[in-house]
Structures are given as C-alpha cells and as structure tokens.
Amino acid sequence: MLPGLEIQGFTPPLSLKDFRLIAFDMDSTLINIECVDEIADAVGRKEEVAAITEAAMRGEIADYKESLRRRVALLKGVTVADMERIYTERLQLNPGAERLVQACKAAGLKVLLVSGGFTFFTDRIRDKLGIDFTRSNVLEIRSGPNCGELTGRMVDQPWGDICDGAEKRKMLLETCAQLGISPQQAIAMGDGANDLPMMGEAGLSVAYHAKPKVREQAMVAINAGGLDRLLEVVR
C-alpha cells in the first residue's frame, strides 16, 4: 500500500522506460493555480469566473468551449501587466513538478503540455521546464488605443479555436504519431473532466489532486503529496 495513492488496473511498479511520452495538463496539475480565475481577480470577477471553472472541471458543464468563452469575456480590460504580476506573484510549479519532468526526460520521454489555459503562461512553463510540445489558447490583446488590454476574446489558431478535452486527446494522438509510438506508450496527467479524453487514450492515466470523476477513472490517483509521487509507481 502506498498512502495517498490509489491504483487500479495494474500492479506497480512499472518502468519509465516502457513509456516514450508524458502529457500534462497545466492549471491545478503542473501549476498551483487556475490562471483564468486569477486573471479575473484583476477585474474583480474571480468569484464569478471560478464558479464556472469549478463546474467545468467537475464535468457539470457539457459545452467546455462555451464555458471558456463566457469566462474569457469577463476578462475584458485586464492588462498584460496584470497577467505578468499573476505569473511572478501567484503562479508556482506544483511540488515535485521539476523532479518528475527531469526524471522523465532522463529516461528518454518527450514532454507534452496541453492546456485549456493560455499561451501567456504555457510558453513560460514550457521554457522553464524544457517541455517539447505545447497546445493552449491565445488571448486576444488590443492594439491601438488601450493597447496591452484583453479584448475578452480568443484568437483562432491553425489547429482550431479552443483547446478543450477533444483537442487535448487529438494533440496527444498527433504527438504519438509524430514520435512513431503507440498511445499505450504515453502517460497522461490531469485533474479535471476536460483531461479525461486524453487520459482515456494513454497507456497510463494519472489523476493529480483531481475532481472525483477523474479520480474514479484514472489508473493512478495521487491524492496526497507532489507530482513526483508518480515515481513510486513508475520507476
């Protein structure tokens, strides 16, 4: 028994060398905050936005894209300087994040970050941890008068409009294809309902301090301690 860990569907330990890719959600998984909620705090709307986020992460909102559009609309007027302060003053890597990423890279795994959050933060986390692939959403920033303010909209990207659960799954599968590996050689870690589609494709699914629905479906649930507790299961 490993206190604070739930395991189903296999007998540990597994070998890290059996895997070639690890995919992480960002908000509340790789980092300690929900960025959209903290951005909303800058315009006094954190409570309103956080309630939508919580419902979406629990799987109580069927249309994730629409829920994100609603939340982003409430961010209108937030400045880039506000977001910079959130990054420097509030955002931290969750415990064990660096150790787990380093261990995976040392074992030859590539690292993917897929997020329903925003490139403003995922690009910085990518650079900080040396992550190989990312997919997330782009916040539209006003140019001209009031430049440097959010418009309350997102920018469409070549792959589509919003990184939701379906897009996370698609990016995991595309990355596996690019690497010439099977999805069974991938590990996927997340905490919310929008992580379940990619977790369902991976050879090993890991819930980190997750919502009940996600814990129930994951092969490993880390309910106490840091991300690096996965290394007690996969060595």
Side-chain angles (χ1 to χ4, degrees):
M1 285 293 293
L2 299 168
L5 292 178
E6 296 174 42
I7 294 165
Q8 59 181 344
F10 72 99
T11 303
L14 301 175
S15 171
L16 260 186
K17 294 190 182 298
D18 292 333
F19 297 93
R20 298 283 306 283
L21 176 71
I22 185 164
F24 291 98
D25 167 53
M26 183 176 73
D27 296 62
S28 298
T29 301
L30 206 52
I31 65 172
N32 64 321
I33 59 172
E34 291 285 340
C35 291
V36 68
D37 298 354
E38 300 306 318
I39 298 169
D41 198 26
V43 283
R45 288 175 164 156
K46 181 174 181 178
E47 192 173 324
E48 186 178 354
V49 169
I52 303 171
T53 301
E54 177 70 12
M57 292 304 100
R58 286 184 173 275
E60 295 163 3
I61 293 177
D63 190 338
Y64 177 86
K65 287 187 179 185
E66 185 53 35
S67 84
L68 187 59
R69 289 191 189 98
R70 281 170 56 201
R71 284 175 281 165
V72 169
L74 295 169
L75 306 182
K76 185 176 180 179
V78 172
T79 67
V80 171
D82 290 329
M83 294 199 294
E84 198 65 57
R85 277 193 295 275
I86 291 161
Y87 179 75
T88 56
E89 297 174 11
R90 301 189 189 185
L91 187 153
Q92 296 176 1
L93 293 173
N94 270 328
E98 288 183 275
R99 179 170 178 248
L100 176 56
V101 169
Q102 287 168 0
C104 288
K105 288 167 77 77
L109 281 74
K110 296 293 186 182
V111 184
L112 167 64
L113 176 57
V114 275
S115 174
F118 311 112
T119 52
F120 185 91
F121 301 101
T122 56
D123 287 355
R124 287 162 168 77
I125 298 301
R126 175 198 65 200
D127 295 345
K128 187 180 183 73
L129 292 176
I131 288 170
D132 301 288
F133 311 99
T134 62
R135 181 151 292 177
S136 58
N137 302 304
V138 179
L139 290 166
E140 185 178 69
I141 297 171
R142 194 186 311 277
S143 56
N146 300 320
C147 64
E149 285 188 1
L150 299 185
T151 65
R153 295 186 296 270
M154 288 170 283
V155 179
D156 286 357
Q157 297 180 74
W159 48 262
D161 55 354
I162 288 175
C163 186
D164 61 353
E167 187 60 39
K168 288 187 178 195
R169 173 185 176 274
K170 179 168 160 261
M171 183 59 178
L172 177 80
L173 294 175
E174 284 180 0
T175 306
C176 288
Q178 185 178 337
L179 295 172
I181 65 171
S182 159
Q184 288 299 305
Q185 293 172 283
I187 301 169
M189 297 189 73
D191 74 300
N194 63 329
D195 298 313
L196 287 171
M198 74 165 178
M199 289 170 67
E201 293 289 347
L204 183 65
S205 55
V206 185
Y208 180 72
H209 294 264
K211 305 304 179 193
K213 185 175 179 180
V214 183
R215 287 202 309 270
E216 289 164 11
Q217 295 185 42
M219 295 166 71
V220 179
I222 301 172
N223 301 324
L227 286 157
D228 55 344
R229 291 210 63 194
L230 181 60
L231 299 174
E232 296 172 38
V233 179
V234 189
R235 297 173 187 162

